[in-house]
Amino acid sequence: MTGLIERPGNGAVRIPAGRLLIDGDWHEAEGGRSLPVFDPATEEQIGAIAAASAADVERAVQAAHRRFESPAWQNMRPIDRGRLLERLALLVERDADELARLETLDNGKPLWVSRNIDMPFSIDALRYYGGWSSKLAGEYIALNPLVDDGATYRAYTERRPVGVVGGITPWNFPMGQAVQKIAPAIAFGCTIVLKPSEEASLTTLRLGELILEAGFPAGAVNIVTGLGPEAGQALVDHPLVRKIAFTGSTATGQRILAASARHMKRVSLELGGKSPTIILADADLDKAIPGAANAIFANSGQICTAGSRLLVEAPVYDAVTRGLAEIAGSMRLGSGFDTSTQLGPLISARQIARVSELVATGLAQGAEPLAGGTRLPGKGYFFPPTVLAGRGNDLAIAREEVFGPVVLATPITDSRQIAAMANDTVYGLGASIWTRDLNRAHLLASQIDCGTVWINTHNVLDPAMPFGGTKLSGIGREFGSEALHAYTEPRAVCMRLE
């Protein structure tokens, strides 16, 4: 099923053909197998994507490996790889509105978010990594041999691409996540086979069309859609895939890490989170309360760094929770194509069932509902912004990642326990601190065990700033100079000079 989908006030949205991009051309999946694609705002089927088999993944990996080993790719000037990414950035920029509408149709997020966040981030990331491609450098090392044999020794290092990369992306930011895997792989001289989430693959397939238009060599970027247990597992298990770059759930990341040990694959895993939003008593509440709302409700809570644990010093706890509940109750849910919509739907029937179950369990265990709490009636996977109040960390909803617009508020009665409360989780992805006292903010930030601490803001990301987590939130970092280490390995060359 392909063609045009009409949405009121926004014209037709073109659905790309749901095929596999392998070795520079589009292919049907083995046996013609496919998966339906649904609009999460209406539950209507809007298309279909190919369901890749292990044999399809084999063809894609072989194509990526041939390209990586080819003299043309090995000898391509780094600056020319950067030009490929810049050409792709120009094409994404040209078609940004079309891509944004497709993202909103497939994912459900408000169109203004797709236009003003997802597309600009994708364009910036392509350009950022395009610039990095020509900046690879090693280092000179002065050696001191243990045995003086009268010779002079010199050594240097060089950064070498790891090889074929298997990229696996989630459904919450489909376009940005695809770029997040493709751009550094190409910039640093790797080739890639990308498997997007089966629940939101359309913009990645449209990106594949632009990759061909930009003139990427056949096999440099391959896109295989399908199910994780089949296509994703085949990618993880393939011996020619030297690195897996995965963003998704902790449980899946753990399985990938275990499977990667067989071939000693390099991995970067950006996984789940249970990030605290910490509001201290001296915070500017006119900024902290809407900041806390944005931390958890943005993208309908479907953000790995969502501030799903709200820790508030007792003197301002009532004011903060009251203000947050008021914001939650006033937010408008609806189709992403409606200009008044502030929150779109969750991605799928499965996801809304999970969120509903976790909230119901939290209420049964004693959490107090301050706003929201149950699925909205009618078509579409809409769950309202939900604020719960509860003490202690024994509630399931205090420990488990919800990945929905649900926050649990807890008062801080002893300021000496703030860091301990923030760290009382198996995750360590992000945290934010809201205070006027920057001295206290910096001291507290140094005690929180996570990959990113924001001060008086939350969820600010930039391609130049490293991103990743500690504990069960993952291994490795994306973005910034850290990506250089994620997609390359050092090689030392040692010389004996007479």
Side-chain angles (χ1 to χ4, degrees), residues 122-142:
S122 299
I123 294 164
D124 285 354
L126 286 166
R127 290 195 165 121
Y128 177 81
Y129 286 113
W132 255 111
S133 63
S134 59
K135 310 301 186 296
L136 292 177
E139 60 180 349
Y140 164 77
I141 301 170

Side-chain angles (χ1 to χ4, degrees), residues 438-486:
L438 290 184
N439 182 65
R440 191 179 182 195
H442 283 294
L443 291 173
L444 181 56
S446 69
Q447 300 173 57
I448 297 178
D449 186 1
C450 67
T452 303
V453 179
W454 292 280
I455 297 175
N456 293 328
T457 190
H458 197 107
N459 281 338
V460 174
L461 300 178
D462 189 281
M465 186 173 73
F467 181 73
T470 63
K471 299 187 284 187
L472 292 189
S473 286
I475 294 174
R477 295 293 183 270
E478 296 187 302
F479 303 157
S481 59
E482 293 297 322
L484 169 65
H485 302 288

Side-chain angles (χ1 to χ4, degrees), residues 64-404:
H65 181 66
R66 283 194 303 273
R67 175 53 58 186
F68 180 75
E69 294 289 339
S70 69
W73 186 255
Q74 293 288 330
N75 296 327
M76 179 181 282
R77 297 190 307 162
I79 202 167
D80 289 331
R81 294 197 304 270
R83 284 175 173 154
L84 287 174
L85 295 172
E86 172 59 23
R87 286 204 293 271
L88 183 57
L90 289 169
L91 293 174
V92 172
E93 199 166 44
R94 181 196 70 188
D95 294 346
D97 190 64
E98 174 201 348
L99 287 160
R101 287 184 286 119
L102 184 61
E103 191 88 316
T104 289
L105 179 67
D106 196 22
N107 170 276
K109 66 180 62 183
L111 183 56
W112 63 268
V113 174
S114 297
R115 281 175 170 160
N116 298 315
I117 297 177
D118 296 48
M119 295 310 124
F121 176 86
S122 299
I123 294 164
D124 285 354
L126 286 166
R127 290 195 165 121
Y128 177 81
Y129 286 113
W132 255 111
S133 63
S134 59
K135 310 301 186 296
L136 292 177
E139 60 180 349
Y140 164 77
I141 301 170
L143 299 184
N144 298 286
L146 294 177
V147 177
D148 185 2
D149 59 1
T152 299
Y153 288 84
R154 295 288 184 267
Y156 65 88
T157 64
E158 55 185 357
R159 304 294 312 191
R160 302 294 302 167
V162 296
V164 177
V165 173
I168 304 175
T169 57
W171 41 259
N172 56 341
F173 291 94
M175 180 72 173
Q177 287 284 350
V179 167
Q180 204 169 305
K181 302 295 186 284
I182 292 170
I186 297 301
F188 300 128
C190 304
T191 57
I192 184 169
V193 179
L194 182 73
K195 195 208 87 67
S197 167
E198 65 274 14
E199 293 180 314
S201 294
L202 297 184
T203 48
T204 303
L205 293 173
R206 180 70 183 102
L207 182 66
E209 295 176 355
L210 298 181
I211 284 169
L212 296 183
E213 185 178 347
F216 279 58
V221 178
N222 306 270
I223 299 171
V224 292
T225 54
L227 298 173
E230 187 168 4
Q233 192 66 52
L235 195 56
V236 171
D237 290 341
H238 203 291
L240 292 180
V241 174
R242 297 292 297 275
K243 173 187 170 61
I244 295 293
F246 171 77
T247 300
S249 73
T250 293
T252 302
Q254 289 173 316
R255 290 194 294 270
I256 288 172
L257 183 60
S260 296
R262 180 183 175 193
H263 298 292
M264 296 300 290
K265 295 185 196 301
R266 279 53 182 151
V267 295
S268 52
L269 305 172
E270 195 267 281
L271 308 177
K274 197 69 181 171
S275 301
T277 299
I278 304 164
I279 299 181
L280 304 184
D282 72 327
D284 182 344
L285 298 189
D286 289 338
K287 295 178 180 177
I289 292 172
N294 186 64
I296 182 58
F297 301 142
N299 209 45
S300 298
Q302 298 171 124
I303 301 178
C304 53
T305 51
S308 55
R309 291 186 298 141
L310 180 62
L311 309 179
V312 187
E313 284 199 299
V316 294
Y317 178 80
D318 289 342
V320 168
T321 53
R322 183 171 57 250
L324 186 60
E326 289 174 358
I327 291 174
S330 70
M331 299 191 81
R332 181 177 173 84
L333 281 71
S335 165
F337 292 98
D338 185 334
T339 56
S340 65
T341 290
Q342 294 172 284
L343 293 187
L346 301 185
I347 190 66
S348 65
R350 179 177 60 180
Q351 184 62 18
I352 199 167
R354 170 177 165 75
V355 172
S356 299
E357 181 182 359
L358 282 169
V359 171
T361 300
L363 294 173
Q365 291 178 339
E368 177 189 357
L370 304 180
T374 58
R375 176 180 179 172
L376 298 184
K379 286 288 187 180
Y381 308 125
F382 293 99
F383 198 93
T386 296
V387 181
L388 305 178
R391 295 174 179 269
N393 208 32
D394 55 339
L395 303 180
I397 204 159
R399 302 188 306 271
E400 296 187 36
E401 183 178 38
V402 178
F403 226 62

